[in-house]
Amino acid sequence: MMMKMVLRRILIGIGTLWVVSVLVFIGTSILPGDVAQIILGQSATPETLAALRAELGMDRPWFVRYFDWLGNLVTGDLGTSKAGGASISSLIAGRLGNTMFLAGIVAAISIPISVALGLLAAMYPGTWLDRIVTFATLSLISVPEFFIATFMVLILAVQLHWLPAIAYLSGNESGWQLARALAMPVITLVIVVSAQMIRMTRAGILNVMNSPYIEMAILKGVPRRRIILRHALFNAIGPIVNVIALNLAYLVSGVVIVETIFAYPGLAKLMIDGVQTRDLPLVQACAIIFCATYVVLILIADIASILSNPRLRQPK
Amino acid sequence: MEKLLEIKDLKIEARREDGTPIPIVKGVSFDVHKGQVVALIGESGSGKTTISLSALAYTKPGLEFAGGEVRLHGEDLLTAEPLRQRDLRGRKVAYLAQSAAATFNPAITIGEQVTESAVLHGILTQDEANARAERLYRSLELPDPDRIGNRYPHQVSGGQLQRLMAAMALCGKPDLMVLDEPTTALDVTTQIEVLKAFKKVIHEENAAAIYVTHDLAVVAQIADYIVVLYGGEVMEQGSAEQIINNPGHAYTRKLMEAVRPKPAAGLGTVVTGEHDRDIAALVVKDMSAGYGRKLNGEPAVTVLRDINVKVENGHVVGVIGESGCGKSTLARVMAGLLPQAAGEVVLDGENLEADLQDRSRDELRKVQFVYQMADTALNPRQRIDDIIGRPLEFYHGVKGRERQQRVQEILEMVELPAEFGARYPAELSGGQKQRINLARSLAASPEVLLCDEVTSALDSIVGANVIKLLNNLKDKTGVSFVFISHDLSTVASFADEIVVLYAGRVVEQGPTDQVLTPPYHPYTRLLISSVPELRIGWLEDTVELREMAVGIAKGVEITDVGCPFYNRCPSAIEGTCDITDAPVRQLAEGHEIACHLDVSDLQLKISHEASAG
Amino acid sequence: MNESNIKGEDIVERLDRFDELPDAPPRKRIKLSWVGKLAALVVAAWLVIVAIGPSIAPFHQMDFAGDDGFLPGDGEFLLGTDYLGRDTFSRILWGARTTIGISLLSTLGAYLIGITLGIAAAVRGGWTDTIISRINDAILSLPTIMLGLIAIAAFGSSIPILIIMAAVIYATSVFRIARALALDIMVQDFVESARARGEGTWWIVTREILPNAAMPLATDFGLRLVFVVLFISSLSFLGLGVQPPTADWGSMVRENLQGLPYGSYASIWPAVAIGSFTIAINLIVDDVSAESGGSLARKMV
């Protein structure tokens, strides 16, 4: 029963990945119209256009191109960039590492902080601690990432001169330099992601707190800490794991802004540059990587919540 | 007797948004002595649950204590420190809720939850608590007592969970137990077992208890002392004997009146055999139905099998059975809400299409369905005028002033004032909403009214009034009724014919008088004998003399072959009943019993009748 | 002991008239806390500015009024000037119309598409529902910013494209909510009762489903509007949304970021404008969808 559900989820995940590939392909290869025209601009002659179309394979029907592209994608060939004709795989390689490094640090810091603060706020609802946490996180999730980033720069770099405003990694910084360079993007992302996670953890727990079995626990004289950690948390694990995975996925959009504002050499920055120069093959490749990561994370969240349900783990 | 709990002039309030208090409990006083079971009886809104929870120094969210004292062993609980209150909860006073299914934490094993309180309060070590829990499981007659603790709540049945909750309350050896409607959600046949187990264990542990319920018959079985409540005030209190046998207060007498008499012959209306027309209003022929996708013409889950039911013109057919027996499904098939998998539904001699969408507007008009829960059956965003007016407009094209006129007439028919038309459903009480629910169906001028548990969600007095209203309507309008209920007494007092359903099959049907006198189908007999009587000592008599105790604790099993009642039947014949379908035996005047036993073997009377007589 | 009093007969008499104890009183109309009222005031103020902002602004949004860029605030330029010497205060008033206007139109569009498709899917069921839902889930399973980037890569950026794009992207979440709400309501007995009466789909959708879905959808509208504001201004911030010289809060932050190290607040004020609008909406929504669960949790010791 449980295996069946997990398998079903995985199949749906694969299906979603496929639909995503179609969407990305349509978005970047069909909707824009004549890519050759875009590349060569208005001044191109019909001959050069035709030549480029043939070179790009644009003269073939769209579904042939799609399956060609999909085949290459699956074997790891992401095509060539318009700019300078470099292989996209090589462009992406280093950038992907940087982005994953950033996301990894953010996750490692924000997950424990958020779950702890969320639990604490749920444990003492209505107190000052809870009110401050709720108001602060509500405000933080209401503003765009660049709002937080801008204020971080204002406070930490401009006013206090503690940190540099821009992160540039050359690849051979000392540990201290690296830490200083990363500090600003990391802090910004941690704030953005944690605010969401704290709220959702708190809401997840309080949602369970409405159940009659929590009232029963109170009437059995069970202490507050045990009610939260044993009675509520065990029922909220599914939702909380879900929250964590969702927010890691949410990091995907966070890095887009943060990498841009701090000039951090990650994949998102590469993609934005690609969009600005309408380098469609590059955008295509980056979009596929981001979307696939997102879909996989959500899939993990789904599976985690199935696994945490005792009704499914212990069949009748 | 030693005074254990003393409640003095207890006041509890809710608060409006603007801060003004709404009194919920208005100065209630009573005592609980050691070894005594005190019943708080009252209908919804009487404050009985709220009062009982004060014994744990607890109020539901939104309520607060506004005065008075609750003394346990002389110590005032309401003024005690929160930590002291917590210490007493579960240790000195334990709570049993109405729905065990919701009260057990789904993510924790039963054993841990049963022993939790005792171990947390340091009364027992984990090992001692486990051992005690196992003893309690045995004395509560739970199956598999050495291993049931390792299971999760969803892995045991509802009746078992209810008893497990008793084990949970008793594990820490509390001085006082608060039982809040612990058998209300159970089927009658299960209720007896649970009641019996509670009574035995309260006696064995020499514990005192506050028993909260709206059911006088249940109270008569378990209480030593009764407190009658209405609107947050005590109407009357006294020993169980005095209140049951000699009630002093008008309200108590009213409550007793609403308890339907034991189902027996002579209660139903007499069938004369003369009909206005020759054709029966509604006939169900060889019908099977179920849910899920169909495979080879059979639904994934078959709920009803080979049903034959006839509703004569102007008659009331009562359909009785326990939860899950398919009684609601039968009504849904008749209404076209669930297309049957096989068989026919015939209205006025014409075959009805299975699917609602293929029925004509006039056919739809003739069969009206009345839902159990008026709360969900009435659109909260429509005024009563529109709710009742729409069928008038839709079926009869009545509009404007005339519609208004008719709505008022219909409101009058269900005995509600005309000014209710301007209200929204949320502005009415439960009983009033149920009347509107009925009124909407009446507005269609139907030939058959399908009533699905229309009184189950109502308090007994209100429910009794609704039945009275239905009786009037039947006489006034000549409508035929299909009246579905799990409550045999209610069915018996209203129906001309009774259909007994068990696990999706008709096990017995016939005129009310015939069904309620021997010969009985073994299941009918179990049902009749399980209906509690408003008589002290009934539980003991019944349990002691009940020859069919073997089967009660077992669950309903839906089987494809053989008699569905086989696993619970005391007279089951192995090798016959479990293998071949029961033959339908035709008795007098349309009375049918589906059973392998000879009619002479079915002649047994209900045990206590024999003994009490 | 017998506490019977005179009321006994009265009660019985009332019960016989079916004048029963009322159920729990119906929920009172939503009342905002003082924080909520303040927030409502802020939102209302911004909406007024959307309507009349450009006419009360001291300068035109493209007026290079200042002699120099990044001037500090004074009597003439209330909030100083931006990197091109334009009046920041005036541009914020103009920008309100761009940012909030685009977002409102997009959200309304998202609601039109989402509710229509969502209710259609719920009511039709079967294959229609499966196909629409699957496609919707796939789009919904992508980060909105990615969808935005892909769309801009494909079509370029202009205000009509931004509005249509945001409407389509956010219609997916409205679809999901509308469909779920409609499914919830459709299984209610009162809808089944209307079907059993023989009512047509139009009646059921407009009289039974929509009135009951209105309140939750209205709450969601606020949340959705905030998301769209964040989305549009993020794109503008990346230089991919509203294009200069049109004043837009997101792009104003970006344009003036270079002044931040020199102590210019020209990038801070538009950020504050966004924050005040979005935080205020979320505070109202929070107030309306009153805290659940807290009350029982408060009983813990």
Side-chain angles (χ1 to χ4, degrees), chain B residues 17 44-45 58-61 63 82-83 86 89 225 230 233-237 249-251 254 332 337 356 364 371 376-382 390-391 394-395 415 426 428-433 435 440 461-462 465, chain C residues 1-5 7-9 11-12 14-31 188-200 203 207-209 211-212 215 295-296 299 301:
Chain B
E17 272 170 56
S44 50
Y58 181 83
T59 56
K60 295 260 179 197
L63 301 180
L83 275 175
R86 184 182 89 193
R89 288 177 190 152
Y225 190 84
Y230 181 84
E233 284 173 274
V234 175
M235 295 292 107
E236 148 170 58
Q237 56 178 296
H249 195 274
Y251 177 68
K254 184 80 191 167
R332 295 175 66 80
L337 293 168
L356 200 69
L364 293 173
Y371 290 86
T376 58
L378 305 177
N379 187 339
R381 301 275 167 189
Q382 286 175 3
R390 179 60 188 171
F394 187 77
Y395 292 126
E415 299 165 31
L428 305 180
S429 78
Q432 290 161 348
K433 271 182 270 193
R435 265 157 233 283
R440 175 177 57 187
I461 294 178
V462 179
N465 284 337
Chain C
M1 186 162 44
N2 195 332
E3 280 141 80
S4 155
N5 47 31
K7 300 184 314 170
E9 318 301 333
I11 295 169
V12 170
R14 275 181 53 194
L15 284 170
D16 281 342
R17 277 191 289 120
F18 309 124
D19 189 5
E20 298 130 10
L21 285 182
D23 286 6
R27 271 182 63 108
K28 288 272 143 47
R29 287 194 55 207
I30 305 137
K31 270 175 113 181
Q188 301 262 5
D189 290 343
F190 64 81
V191 178
E192 196 182 73
S193 150
R195 280 203 299 127
R197 195 189 308 139
E199 299 283 4
W203 170 279
R207 301 302 182 87
E208 313 282 346
I209 297 177
N212 285 288
M215 194 52 210
S295 42
L296 188 52
K299 297 275 177 183
V301 182

Side-chain angles (χ1 to χ4, degrees), chain C residues 96 132 164 173:
Chain C
I132 305 183
I164 296 170
S173 23

